[in-house]
Amino acid sequence: MTMNSKLPTDTNDLENNENDSATHDADSQKLTSTIKLEDENIGSIRFYPPLFMQRYSFTAKVLEKHDVKWVADLGCSECGIVRFYREVPSLHKIQLVDIDRPTLEFNKNLIKPRPSDYIFKRENPLSIEIYEGSATDLDQRIIGCDAISMVEFIEHLYPETLTQVEESVFGHLHPSLVVVTTPNYEFNSLFPGEPRFRHYDHKFEWTRSEFQKWGQDICDRYRYTVEFSGIGDPPTESQHVGYCSQAAIFTSSFPRKIDVNIDHCNHYTLVAESTFPHKDKAKLTSDEILKLEVPYTINLLKQGRSLMDTDHSSEGEDEDEDQVLIPISRLMNFSTISKIVDEDSLRKFLVENGYQFTGDQSKIIIPLEVEWNDMYGSDYEDFETEIPAGQTISISTNDAQELE
C-alpha cells in the first residue's frame, strides 16, 4: 500500500523565526513551538463542537448502537474519551490503555465518579481502569472485551508497529466490534500553507482510498466486515475532500479463539481504577462498596475540612497548605462505612488501596489537588476547533447535553 508516510520535510513550515543551528536546545525549542501551534486556531476551517469531542461522541454512539458492555480504548492519551463512554448505558467496563505514564497520572482523576453520579445512579454497574501499556502486547485483563476503540491512534505508529497492533487486536483479541478513526490527508489541503501532517508525531496520514484499502485488507485477513464513515464535515464548496477525520467500524460475528500458545500475562501496569454507584448496589461485595464510599466520604471531608478538628499543633503534625489530614475515626462516623468494617479493617483497606498515613497511623494524608475544569482532556491535535465562517453545523439535543 502506498501511503503518505513522509514526515514534514521542513519543520520551519510549522514554526516561525526558528534558529537553524543544530543544537539540542534549539531542537527542543522547535519541538515545543510545533506542539504549541497544534493547539492554536489558524485559518478559516473551524469546527464546533471541537473535532476531538465530535470524534468521542461518534465513537460512544457506535458503542451504544451495538449494545457494548466492555470496551478497551487503546492509545487513550489524556483519557478525555471516558467523559463520553461513561454515559453509554450498556457499558459495564471501560479500560483505557496508553504508554505515556505521566499523562495517565495527570489525568487519572477523570475516571472518578462525580457527586451527581451518587444522586442519579446508573442502572448498570460500571468499572473504569487505566493501564500503562503497549497496544502491541496482549494483556490477559483485556481478553474477552466486546469492543476495541482506537481514536486518532494508528497514525502515531510506525508501519511495523501497526502490523503488530493489527495482529493483537483483530487476530488475538478479535472483539465483535472495532472502531478506528484517523486523519483524512485529503482534508489537509484546506488548511493554510502546503499540505502537511497535523501533528509532529504522526508517522503517516492516509487518503480515503488508502484508508479503505487498509480496512478491506483487515477484513480479508481477520474475517471482519467494515463500514466507512467520518467526522468533521468539510465546507459546502469543498465536499470533494471528504470528512476531516475518517472512521472505520469493523464488526465480526465469528467467535474469538484464544491461542493458548500466546503469552497472556499481565503486561500492563494498573494506574487507577474506579467503581461507579448504581441502583443494584445491594449486589456489590463489601470491598466494592468501600471503593465507592471511602473516596466519596474523603472528598466530602476534604471539601468541608473546616468542620474537622484541624488543631494538630499539640500532636506535632501541622497540615501543610497542600494537604489535609483526615482521622480514621472521622471516617468511621459515617454509617455507610462503619456498618461494613471496623476501624482495623478500614485501616487495612486504606493501606491496600495506597492511602498514606501520618506517623501514628491515626490519620490519612490527602493532597489538595488542583481541580481541573476540562472534563474532556485537551486533545487538540487538529488545526481548527470551530465552525467554518458562514457555515452552519447542526447540533442534536444529545450533543448539546454533552457540552453542558
Side-chain angles (χ1 to χ4, degrees):
M1 180 193 308
T2 301
M3 60 183 176
N4 297 300
S5 58
K6 180 169 68 98
L7 289 173
T9 57
D10 186 0
T11 52
N12 287 323
D13 287 341
L14 301 178
E15 300 149 19
N16 294 320
N17 302 321
E18 287 291 348
N19 191 329
D20 290 332
S21 61
T23 65
H24 177 74
D25 291 343
D27 289 340
S28 299
Q29 182 180 1
K30 188 176 295 186
L31 180 59
T32 302
S33 177
T34 303
I35 297 172
K36 181 178 180 181
L37 182 59
E38 294 295 337
D39 292 340
E40 296 175 350
N41 288 330
I42 56 176
S44 60
I45 303 301
R46 302 173 181 273
F47 296 96
Y48 183 82
L51 194 56
F52 78 92
M53 291 173 60
Q54 293 190 41
R55 286 192 293 260
Y56 293 166
S57 178
F58 171 89
T59 311
K61 288 175 181 177
V62 173
L63 300 183
E64 185 170 0
K65 176 182 177 181
H66 289 265
D67 197 34
V68 170
K69 293 179 172 57
W70 176 3
V71 62
D73 182 66
L74 305 182
C76 67
S77 185
E78 297 172 339
C79 307
I81 201 167
V82 77
R83 171 64 179 84
F84 291 79
Y85 279 9
R86 61 200 261 171
E87 303 302 328
V88 177
S90 61
L91 278 174
H92 289 233
K93 181 183 287 189
I94 301 170
Q95 294 171 313
L96 308 173
V97 182
D98 202 279
I99 61 172
D100 189 346
R101 180 63 177 262
T103 297
L104 296 178
E105 289 284 355
F106 184 78
N107 294 282
K108 65 184 180 182
N109 286 339
L110 288 178
I111 71 171
K112 291 182 178 179
R114 298 161 297 191
S116 60
D117 292 315
Y118 291 88
I119 301 172
F120 306 103
K121 296 180 180 178
R122 294 173 53 89
E123 292 291 338
N124 298 317
L126 175 63
S127 64
I128 305 177
E129 300 163 345
I130 299 177
Y131 290 102
E132 174 196 7
S134 170
T136 60
D137 294 327
L138 191 63
D139 189 284
Q140 65 179 359
R141 288 166 291 188
I142 67 172
I143 293 175
C145 62
D146 302 328
I148 293 285
S149 59
M150 296 185 285
V151 179
E152 307 297 290
F153 169 60
I154 63 171
E155 65 273 8
H156 292 271
L157 307 176
Y158 288 105
E160 59 272 19
T161 306
L162 177 58
T163 300
Q164 292 178 296
V165 171
E166 293 166 4
E167 181 64 19
S168 179
V169 171
F170 295 98
H172 298 309
L173 289 174
H174 199 83
S176 58
L177 175 70
V178 180
V179 185
V180 179
T181 77
T182 193
N184 170 20
Y185 185 75
E186 295 169 80
F187 196 98
N188 294 0
S189 63
L190 301 184
F191 295 126
E194 293 296 321
R196 61 196 189 277
F197 290 174
R198 302 181 196 176
H199 191 265
Y200 76 95
D201 188 54
H202 287 185
K203 308 305 186 293
F204 61 85
E205 290 184 5
W206 283 331
T207 63
R208 285 170 291 174
S209 61
E210 289 171 335
F211 183 55
Q212 291 170 15
K213 172 67 165 57
W214 174 79
Q216 193 55 57
D217 287 345
I218 293 292
C219 294
D220 294 342
R221 280 186 285 152
Y222 299 108
R223 304 175 77 182
Y224 277 83
T225 58
V226 64
E227 172 190 351
F228 294 102
S229 184
I231 308 100
D233 292 324
T236 304
E237 67 277 10
S238 302
Q239 293 293 311
H240 62 282
V241 302
Y243 294 105
C244 189
S245 280
Q246 45 193 338
I249 303 168
F250 297 91
T251 55
S252 176
S253 58
F254 293 97
R256 64 173 59 88
K257 294 181 180 179
I258 303 300
D259 189 343
V260 296
N261 296 316
I262 297 296
D263 181 7
H264 296 155
C265 295
N266 292 348
H267 295 286
Y268 298 164
T269 301
L270 181 64
V271 175
E273 60 182 332
S274 185
T275 304
F276 277 60
H278 67 284
K279 294 180 180 179
D280 241 352
K281 187 174 177 180
K283 297 182 180 180
L284 293 177
T285 66
S286 296
D287 191 64
E288 289 172 332
I289 294 175
L290 283 176
K291 285 184 177 180
L292 289 172
E293 297 295 344
V294 169
Y296 178 65
T297 304
I298 287 174
N299 189 58
L300 286 178
L301 292 174
K302 182 173 69 172
Q303 299 302 324
R305 61 189 182 277
S306 60
L307 301 178
M308 296 189 298
D309 178 15
T310 58
D311 182 11
H312 304 292
S313 57
S314 61
E315 304 171 30
E317 293 174 338
D318 294 331
E319 281 188 356
D320 294 335
E321 61 181 18
D322 59 348
Q323 68 182 30
V324 62
L325 307 181
I326 299 179
I328 303 298
S329 58
R330 187 56 58 91
L331 292 176
M332 291 299 296
N333 286 341
F334 288 79
S335 61
T336 52
I337 294 175
S338 60
K339 69 182 180 182
I340 300 174
V341 290
D342 57 24
E343 188 167 321
D344 289 337
S345 298
L346 175 60
R347 185 176 284 103
K348 179 181 178 182
F349 169 86
L350 293 169
V351 170
E352 292 175 347
N353 284 272
Y355 289 92
Q356 301 297 313
F357 287 80
T358 57
D360 62 2
Q361 300 291 300
S362 65
K363 305 177 185 69
I364 55 174
I365 303 171
I366 304 299
L368 295 176
E369 298 165 337
V370 176
E371 296 294 334
W372 189 33
N373 294 324
D374 185 0
M375 293 298 294
Y376 306 100
S378 56
D379 300 339
Y380 284 94
E381 282 194 358
D382 306 287
F383 287 104
E384 311 304 336
T385 57
E386 297 179 12
I387 196 168
Q391 181 179 350
T392 301
I393 297 179
S394 61
I395 304 175
S396 68
T397 301
N398 289 338
D399 288 334
Q401 290 174 345
E402 292 288 359
L403 301 177
E404 295 177 353

